[in-house]
Amino acid sequence: AQTVTQSQPEMSVQEAETVTLSCTYDTSESNYYLFWYKQPPSRQMILVIRQEAYKQQNATENRFSVNFQKAAKSFSLKISDSQLGDTAMYFCAFMVGTYKYIFGTGTRLKVLA
Amino acid sequence: GAVVSQHPSWVICKSGTSVKIECRSLDFQATTMFWYRQFPKQSLMLMATSNEGSKATYEQGVEKDKFLINHASLTLSTLTVTSAHPEDSSFYICSDGRDLYNEQFFGPGTRLTVL
């Protein structure tokens, strides 16, 4: 079965600090796509960053970067210079073959002023 | 701006009634759309894949007779919760399948409360 695990239900970080959210997944496929989505209190899902499994280089998007370890099936998200607007639920997800997205259980991040 | 809309944003209904939720792709002709369900403080679970002009594909454990999906046009998919019960109360989110390898565009969601 293909699964996504986020082991940190809740995290907090001081404004301007750095925080890392963990995600592990399980699949037997060799090619797939990984994503981090953000769900703020408005509940609107927003893409944060994506990574293609065949690319070794870690994706970065402004203050957001990932540490993709394919062998370990790990895909963590690092948020640098945390801002109050980063407060949200963060979901790790991957997509393989059949266009089905599988989401993790989410990590609730709170940025403290 | 938003590229996928949902209506209504919230609805309260009595047990036993049916509720229809609309999902519109505002700037894309979507042959495929997706319906998710999200319980409080839980993840998104794919319920079904809506296919324009053909039957929807339901995920295992999702009752197709209870959650009726119609994708009659390239911009509109509807989810009808039939004979709703309190346990159907949830947050329902749709998305369109325009660019799944790069991003999935989600609607803002519909909160259903069944009394």
Side-chain angles (χ1 to χ4, degrees):
Chain A
Q2 296 166 334
T3 60
V4 178
T5 301
Q6 293 180 248
S7 60
Q8 306 150 314
E10 294 186 1
M11 293 190 72
S12 61
V13 62
Q14 289 294 136
E15 197 174 7
E17 296 296 309
T18 295
V19 64
T20 297
L21 310 182
S22 66
C23 173
T24 58
Y25 57 94
D26 189 22
T27 181
S28 58
E29 300 291 331
S30 59
N31 193 27
Y32 44 88
Y33 298 79
L34 294 160
F35 306 85
W36 277 97
Y37 277 86
K38 166 184 177 180
Q39 188 180 42
S42 67
R43 305 298 294 270
Q44 175 70 59
M45 295 285 285
I46 302 167
L47 177 68
V48 175
I49 198 165
R50 65 181 286 277
Q51 172 84 39
E52 296 159 14
Y54 64 85
K55 289 188 176 180
Q56 293 184 340
Q57 187 174 5
N58 289 323
T60 62
E61 193 71 39
N62 300 317
R63 298 183 293 108
F64 301 89
S65 62
V66 299
N67 184 0
F68 174 46
Q69 301 290 328
K70 190 172 184 178
K73 296 181 181 176
S74 171
F75 183 59
S76 61
L77 173 69
K78 185 171 81 171
I79 305 175
S80 304
D81 186 25
S82 297
Q83 300 176 0
L84 295 177
D86 295 334
T87 293
M89 195 76 170
Y90 287 81
F91 292 99
C92 176
F94 80 93
M95 186 193 77
V96 58
T98 56
Y99 309 129
K100 182 188 297 188
Y101 273 54
I102 299 174
F103 287 87
T105 51
T107 296
R108 186 173 300 279
L109 176 68
K110 188 170 185 179
V111 180
L112 307 172
Chain B
V3 295
V4 179
S5 70
Q6 281 185 243
H7 177 80
S9 57
W10 60 271
V11 57
I12 301 173
C13 70
K14 293 182 178 179
S15 185
T17 60
S18 294
V19 174
K20 180 185 285 187
I21 303 170
E22 294 184 348
C23 176
R24 291 184 184 275
S25 181
L26 301 178
D27 62 346
F28 178 75
Q29 293 187 323
T31 57
T32 303
M33 300 178 86
F34 302 92
W35 287 96
Y36 293 87
R37 183 173 183 175
Q38 185 181 28
F39 289 108
K41 297 185 178 180
Q42 294 190 28
S43 187
L44 278 73
M45 299 298 295
L46 180 65
M47 298 175 65
T49 302
S50 174
N51 305 299
E52 188 271 336
S54 65
K55 293 182 179 180
T57 305
Y58 290 82
E59 294 300 303
Q60 190 172 10
V62 178
E63 299 176 59
K64 62 180 180 181
D65 294 331
K66 181 168 185 61
F67 298 99
L68 300 179
I69 291 174
N70 187 298
H71 195 153
S73 78
L74 289 171
T75 60
L76 174 64
S77 175
T78 61
L79 168 68
T80 301
V81 183
T82 63
S83 186
H85 288 95
E87 56 265 31
D88 298 324
S89 297
S90 188
F91 194 67
Y92 292 87
I93 305 175
C94 70
S95 69
D96 74 31
R98 72 181 69 190
D99 190 14
L100 294 173
Y101 293 103
N102 290 301
E103 180 175 359
Q104 190 164 179
F105 291 88
F106 291 90
T110 297
R111 179 170 300 284
L112 170 63
T113 301
V114 184
L115 302 177

